[in-house]
């Protein structure tokens, strides 16, 4: 009996290890393919678009990312947190998803009305004609519309860890985008064509994603008022931070578009394509780690241990990425083409910044997945004060100075997010201890 009882934990340990190995290999291989296709598509855009057109594409793509985050404003994280409580009940999970979609659509129109004039102004400032600027702004709409629901349809698949179906859909979307880009840009090397290719494929993939979500959730539900209140309560704390994040996460592009020139915008956009390979890590963590973290019990010790395990793993990955770029910059820059061969130092700075932003984003998402949102007053005031001081003392007409400013800003955010998570975890420990007594 002792022998048998001793084998049970060991077998359970190995079963768990094998399960994690399977999930990581499936997700990793699929994401390698997705990121390879994304990188090749990005390099295709860099090489086929003239420098001026690529600068306009960088501005449009940056604005698309910004309005997508603004339209979400924490709704996706709130939906994941609410869904983690009812993930085994398809009807209740359906109510959560539908509530999240309705809230997102209300934010969407407002963000478009605010962001479109800003984008058109920036495009005109960097040499686009009125017709071209309007065409580029219109070409964002398909991708933006798909973004209103696609990440919410992923929630049931992530909570139930149906990773294979999710990855197949992402591979399908990226393969289709690559084929469309290759076909279109060879004959029509324009920014709006590249934007439309991404948007159309994202719409198509979104339809397939909704069908996959129906396997675990009943979407024929009405909004749930309690879920709506819970998400809105979180939004009150996340919206100010989200607005700030939209400005700060793309601060490099915004500052260069104001203080720099069109060529510098194209250079940063090209370098960020390389650093964008780090998104494979972000996708793997958001798919495998964060949903499981959202399901953990309210036990301070467990949460803190898991937090430090995740943080150290991210630190190791970031160290490897920065080391590769530092010791082997020439092969990396060769991918971008002759126009970008002299950018060794900017490449390293962009990679360092990307790693810090990656860690900071995942740490923040770990808090939000538990229903915790850092005080926007604290976060924004400290970050803006730091940036004002940096802008005052630095010459932002130089590309390297703008990149250093981005690194310092990202570090401040990382320290705040880590401190807040630990603060809430120890609060939970104190509350738990008080209940026990």
């Amino acid at each position: 009996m002792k022998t048998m009882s001793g084998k049970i934990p060991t077998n359970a340990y190995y079963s768990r290890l094998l399960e994690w190995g399977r999930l990581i290999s499936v997700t990793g291989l699929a994401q390698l393919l997705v990121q390879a296709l994304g990188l090749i598509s990005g390099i295709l855009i860099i090489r086929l678009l003239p420098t001026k057109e690529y600068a306009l594409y960088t501005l449009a793509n940056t604005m698309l990312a910004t309005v997508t985050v603004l339209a979400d404003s924490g709704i996706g994280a709130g939906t994941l947190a609410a869904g983690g409580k009812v993930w085994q009940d398809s009807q209740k999970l359906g109510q959560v998803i539908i509530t999240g979609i309705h809230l997102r659509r209300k934010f969407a129109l407002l963000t478009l009305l605010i962001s479109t004039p800003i984008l058109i102004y920036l495009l005109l400032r960097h040499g686009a004609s009125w017709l071209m600027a309007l065409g580029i702004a219109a070409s964002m709409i398909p991708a933006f519309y798909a973004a209103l629901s696609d990440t919410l349809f992923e929630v049931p698949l992530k909570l139930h860890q149906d990773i294979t179906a999710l990855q197949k859909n992402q591979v399908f979307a990226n393969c289709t985008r690559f084929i469309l880009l290759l076909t279109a840009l060879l004959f029509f090397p324009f920014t709006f064509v590249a934007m439309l290719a991404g948007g159309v494929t994202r719409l198509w993939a979104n339809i397939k994603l909704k069908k996959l979500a129906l396997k675990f959730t009943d979407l024929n539900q009405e909004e749930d008022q309690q879920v709506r209140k819970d998400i809105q309560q979180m939004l009150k704390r996340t919206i100010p931070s989200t607005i700030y994040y939209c400005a700060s996460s793309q601060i490099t592009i915004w500052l260069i578009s104001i203080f720099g020139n069109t060529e510098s915008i194209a250079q940063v956009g090209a370098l960020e394509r390389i650093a964008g390979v780090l998104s494979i890590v972000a996708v793997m963590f958001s798919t495998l780690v964060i949903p499981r973290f959202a399901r953990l019990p309210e036990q301070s010790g467990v949460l803190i241990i898991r937090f430090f395990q995740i943080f150290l793993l991210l630190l190791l990955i970031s160290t490897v990425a920065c080391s590769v770029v530092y010791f082997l910059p020439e092969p990396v820059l060769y991918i971008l083409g002759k126009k970008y061969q002299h950018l060794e130092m900017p490449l390293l700075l962009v990679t360092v910044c990307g790693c810090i932003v990656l860690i900071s984003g995942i740490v923040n998402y770990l808090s939000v997945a538990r229903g915790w949102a850092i005080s926007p007053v604290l976060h924004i005031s400290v970050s803006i004060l730091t940036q004002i001081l940096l802008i005052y003392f630095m010459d932002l007409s130089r590309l390297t100075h703008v990149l250093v400013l981005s690194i310092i800003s990202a570090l401040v955010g990382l320290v705040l997010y880590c401190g807040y998570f630990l603060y809430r975890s120890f609060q939970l420990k104190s509350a738990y201890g008080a209940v026990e007594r």
Side-chain angles (χ1 to χ4, degrees):
M1 287 296 291
K2 286 184 180 180
T3 306
M4 290 294 293
S5 63
K7 288 182 179 179
I8 292 172
T10 306
N11 290 337
Y13 172 79
Y14 281 115
S15 297
R16 203 170 162 195
L17 194 63
L18 287 171
E19 176 65 12
W20 269 102
R22 184 187 69 81
L23 288 171
I24 291 171
S25 61
V26 168
T27 307
L29 289 173
Q31 282 305 309
L32 279 174
L33 179 57
V34 167
Q35 293 304 318
L37 287 168
L39 180 60
I40 294 169
S41 299
I43 300 304
L44 189 70
I45 295 170
I46 293 169
R47 287 181 173 267
L48 292 181
L49 290 181
T51 302
K52 178 183 172 182
E53 281 287 337
Y54 188 70
L56 299 180
Y57 175 82
T58 300
L59 286 173
N61 216 33
T62 301
M63 185 59 76
L64 175 61
T66 300
V67 295
T68 300
V69 173
L70 281 174
D72 178 75
S73 293
I75 293 170
T79 302
L80 177 65
K85 300 172 184 176
V86 296
W87 65 284
Q88 293 177 311
D89 187 321
S90 64
Q91 290 188 342
K92 289 183 179 179
L93 184 56
Q95 290 173 346
V96 170
I97 303 300
I98 293 298
T99 304
I101 290 173
H102 285 179
L103 283 171
R104 257 196 196 169
R105 286 176 179 168
K106 290 184 177 180
F107 279 79
L109 182 59
L110 180 61
T111 57
L112 275 181
L113 289 174
I114 294 172
S115 62
T116 302
I118 298 173
L119 174 61
I120 291 174
Y121 166 76
L122 291 173
L123 292 172
L124 293 172
R125 188 176 185 277
H126 288 279
S129 65
W130 269 100
L131 183 61
M132 186 186 297
L134 292 172
I136 292 171
S139 68
M140 288 172 43
I141 294 175
F144 179 65
Y145 180 78
L148 297 180
S149 57
D150 58 5
T151 53
L152 296 182
F153 289 146
E154 289 178 358
V155 168
L157 297 171
K158 288 180 178 180
L159 288 172
H160 285 269
Q161 292 292 277
D162 190 0
I163 307 304
T164 304
L166 188 59
Q167 301 299 335
K168 283 181 179 178
N169 193 58
Q170 291 178 351
V171 170
F172 162 79
N174 279 270
C175 287
T176 310
R177 177 173 178 259
F178 173 73
I179 294 168
L180 273 179
L181 277 173
L182 181 61
T183 306
L185 291 182
L186 284 173
F187 299 100
F188 306 101
F190 300 108
T191 298
F192 76 91
V193 173
M195 295 296 294
L196 276 175
V200 170
T201 53
R202 194 163 179 177
L203 279 173
W204 193 0
N206 197 33
I207 295 170
K208 294 171 67 67
L209 188 61
K210 183 178 180 180
K211 292 179 181 178
L212 293 172
L214 291 172
K215 190 168 151 188
F216 302 107
T217 183
D218 180 4
L219 295 176
N220 296 315
Q221 300 292 321
E222 299 294 329
E223 279 190 83
D224 185 278
Q225 292 305 312
Q226 184 57 49
V227 171
R228 184 187 181 89
K229 287 178 183 177
D230 291 342
I231 296 177
Q232 286 177 331
Q233 190 65 33
M234 181 178 287
L235 289 180
K236 290 177 182 178
R237 293 175 67 86
T238 58
I239 285 177
S241 295
T242 299
I243 294 171
Y244 170 74
Y245 171 80
C246 289
S248 64
S249 64
Q250 305 292 347
I251 193 170
T252 306
I253 298 297
W254 301 138
L255 289 175
I256 292 174
S257 67
I258 295 169
F259 297 102
N261 53 51
T262 304
E263 184 181 2
S264 294
I265 295 174
Q267 289 174 349
V268 171
L271 293 173
E272 287 183 345
R273 284 286 175 180
I274 298 295
V277 174
L278 291 169
S279 62
I280 186 173
V281 181
V283 172
M284 288 186 68
F285 273 76
S286 66
T287 303
L288 297 177
V289 177
I290 292 173
R292 291 170 181 265
F293 195 83
R295 287 159 38 182
L296 287 175
E298 294 282 310
Q299 295 176 11
S300 176
V302 173
L303 294 176
I304 291 173
I305 289 171
R306 292 289 180 265
F307 172 81
F308 278 110
Q309 288 174 338
I310 293 167
F311 186 86
L312 290 173
L313 181 57
L314 288 168
L315 197 61
L316 176 62
I317 293 169
S318 298
T319 303
V320 171
C322 292
S323 299
V324 169
V325 169
Y326 179 77
F327 290 109
L328 300 169
E330 292 85 1
V332 176
L333 289 171
Y334 175 78
I335 298 171
L336 299 178
K338 293 180 180 179
K339 295 177 286 186
Y340 305 99
Q341 290 297 300
H342 60 290
L343 301 175
E344 289 91 349
M345 181 54 68
L347 173 63
L348 178 60
L349 294 175
V350 166
T351 306
V352 170
C353 185
C355 290
I356 298 170
V357 169
L358 168 72
I359 299 173
S360 179
I362 291 176
V363 167
N364 182 43
Y365 215 154
L366 290 174
S367 292
V368 176
R370 302 302 306 181
W372 304 338
I374 190 171
S375 167
V377 175
L378 171 65
H379 176 221
I380 296 174
S381 59
V382 172
S383 300
I384 288 180
L385 179 60
T386 303
Q387 289 170 0
I388 289 173
L389 290 172
L390 291 170
I391 290 171
Y392 181 77
F393 288 108
M394 297 178 76
D395 176 12
L396 298 182
S397 63
R398 297 179 61 181
L399 176 59
T400 51
H401 285 196
V402 176
L403 294 174
V404 169
L405 183 148
S406 301
I407 290 172
I408 296 172
S409 299
L411 274 172
V412 170
L414 176 59
V415 170
L416 288 172
Y417 288 139
C418 287
Y420 180 72
F421 179 88
L422 294 174
Y423 167 72
R424 287 301 302 263
S425 296
F426 283 116
Q427 261 196 338
L428 185 66
K429 184 176 183 179
S430 300
Y432 183 77
V435 170
E436 286 293 307
R437 287 193 293 270

